[in-house]
């Protein structure tokens, strides 16, 4: 069995990973430093945490399930003691993109991140329909990047990704730079910002006299059908009135140069702010 050391095993993400890894043939050592995390790990997964030295002994894969802001510090304390050929798995592209990983040419860095369950899906169970984050009951996609290391290590990294984010519908191989375009660029800078604006717009309609329930139903219902058409889920076209509203609404809401958020310097600046 592949020996896996999981750092941050008692954290919010770490527990999610621990639960899923318990269903696999990987031999997992759970590393957690906080008393609260150790208690959570015992209560929710039924396992005891071990210290770093014990967890790293003979480990072939090291997963860093810790916040982006401490990845560099944790990695600096771990990577120096790893055997050549060890794979280090990072769950977000931010720290790797920002250059916060220690330089060692004889180990593998593998970056993986979930897409989260899509809005349009075929989940047959109530648990699947309510699993918005993923990793519990709903199928999701996953993006992977073999940042450095031998090509044959990609298969192991993909297997780890499919295990920790299960159930997984499909995986996509990208570069670390492409993963940074996806997050924070596409998912946070663009999508999250526009969704917040949409919520503020709904609140403005409520402030002007429409009930909360009415405004929410109206907005989410239109998001459903408009999104289905825009993102090729169904064949359809908008009315002339809708197209005219878009023609005049988009320049009122968006700067002409908004796509510069995907320029390398802007992506780098965004990542520096969160790491």
């Amino acid at each position: 069995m592949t020996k896996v050391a999981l750092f941050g095993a008692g954290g919010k993400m770490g527990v999610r990973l621990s639960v899923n890894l318990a269903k696999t043939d990987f031999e997992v050592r759970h590393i957690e430093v906080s008393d609260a995390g150790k208690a959570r790990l015992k209560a929710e997964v039924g396992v005891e945490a071990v210290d770093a030295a014990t967890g790293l002994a003979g480990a072939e894969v090291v997963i860093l399930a810790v916040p982006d802001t401490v990845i560099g510090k944790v990695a600096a304390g771990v990577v120096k003691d790893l055997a050549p050929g060890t794979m280090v798995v990072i769950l977000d592209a931010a720290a790797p993109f920002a250059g916060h990983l220690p330089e060692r040419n004889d180990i593998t860095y593998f970056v993986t991140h979930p897409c989260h369950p899509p809005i349009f899906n075929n989940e047959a169970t109530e648990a699947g329909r309510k699993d918005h984050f993923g990793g519990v009951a709903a199928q999701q996609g996953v993006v992977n990047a073999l940042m450095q290391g031998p090509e044959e290590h990609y298969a192991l990294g993909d297997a780890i990704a499919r295990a920790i984010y299960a159930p997984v519908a499909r995986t996509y191989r990208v570069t670390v730079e492409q993963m940074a375009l996806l997050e924070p660029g596409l998912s946070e800078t663009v999508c999250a910002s526009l969704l917040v604006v949409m919520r503020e717009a709904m609140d403005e309609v409520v402030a002007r006299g429409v009930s909360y329930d009415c405004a929410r139903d109206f907005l989410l219902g239109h998001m459903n059908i408009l999104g289905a058409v825009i993102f090729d889920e169904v064949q359809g076209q908008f009315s002339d009135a809708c197209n005219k509203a878009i023609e005049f609404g988009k320049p009122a809401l968006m700067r002409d140069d908004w796509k510069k958020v995907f320029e390398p310097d802007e992506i780098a600046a965004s990542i520096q702010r969160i790491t």
Side-chain angles (χ1 to χ4, degrees):
M1 294 185 293
T2 301
K3 299 177 178 63
V4 176
L6 175 59
F7 277 77
K12 182 178 179 181
M13 194 63 188
V15 167
R16 283 178 172 272
L17 271 55
S18 296
V19 169
N20 279 346
L21 285 168
K23 304 171 187 176
T24 71
D25 291 331
F26 293 114
E27 180 185 320
V28 184
R29 293 86 174 271
H30 303 82
I31 301 167
E32 175 59 49
V33 297
S34 74
D35 290 337
K38 292 176 182 177
R40 188 183 305 114
L41 190 63
K42 179 65 175 177
E44 299 188 29
V45 191
V47 297
E48 299 283 352
V50 299
D51 59 48
T54 301
L56 288 174
E60 299 160 83
V61 177
V62 177
I63 304 175
L64 302 182
V66 298
D68 290 332
T69 52
V70 298
I71 283 281
K73 180 180 179 180
V74 173
V78 171
V79 168
K80 59 183 176 58
D81 297 323
L82 299 181
T86 303
M87 174 181 289
V88 178
V89 177
I90 304 97
L91 307 182
D92 190 279
F97 184 92
H100 294 327
L101 300 180
E103 289 190 19
R104 266 197 65 177
N105 294 328
D106 60 346
I107 65 169
T108 294
Y109 283 132
F110 190 89
V111 189
T112 181
H113 194 77
C115 296
H116 303 298
I119 293 173
F120 306 115
N121 59 58
N122 283 326
E123 295 299 331
T125 67
E126 186 70 9
R129 289 188 290 272
K130 290 186 174 181
D131 181 16
H132 303 295
F133 187 87
V136 178
Q139 295 273 326
Q140 65 177 330
V142 174
V143 289
N144 296 325
L146 182 62
M147 183 176 181
Q148 70 172 48
E151 178 61 28
E152 57 266 27
H153 274 192
Y154 182 84
L156 174 59
D158 186 77
I160 291 287
R162 289 176 180 272
I164 61 179
Y165 297 132
V168 172
R170 63 195 67 85
T171 60
Y172 302 95
R173 185 168 183 175
V174 298
T175 65
V176 171
E177 291 74 21
Q178 289 170 332
M179 198 180 292
L181 286 173
L182 293 170
E183 184 166 305
L186 183 62
S187 63
E188 295 174 342
T189 304
V190 176
C191 183
S193 297
L194 293 180
L195 286 171
V196 168
V197 169
M198 291 170 68
R199 173 56 195 262
E200 291 175 354
M202 188 194 85
D203 291 341
E204 181 65 20
V205 169
V206 172
R208 292 171 182 262
V210 178
S211 74
Y212 170 88
D213 289 339
C214 175
R216 186 175 185 274
D217 276 357
F218 204 84
L219 177 59
L220 295 183
H222 279 75
M223 285 173 64
N224 188 18
I225 182 55
L226 295 172
V229 173
I230 291 170
F231 290 98
D232 306 316
E233 186 68 17
V234 300
Q235 292 295 318
Q237 59 184 15
F238 297 155
S239 67
D240 291 342
C242 182
N243 285 326
K244 186 62 70 174
I246 294 170
E247 178 185 349
F248 283 86
K250 189 175 174 182
L253 297 170
M254 304 293 294
R255 293 171 43 155
D256 290 339
D257 63 346
W258 70 267
K259 289 182 182 178
K260 74 177 185 180
V261 299
F262 292 110
E263 293 298 324
D265 289 349
E266 291 291 333
I267 292 290
S270 178
I271 286 176
Q272 287 294 336
R273 287 191 290 270
I274 63 176
T275 59

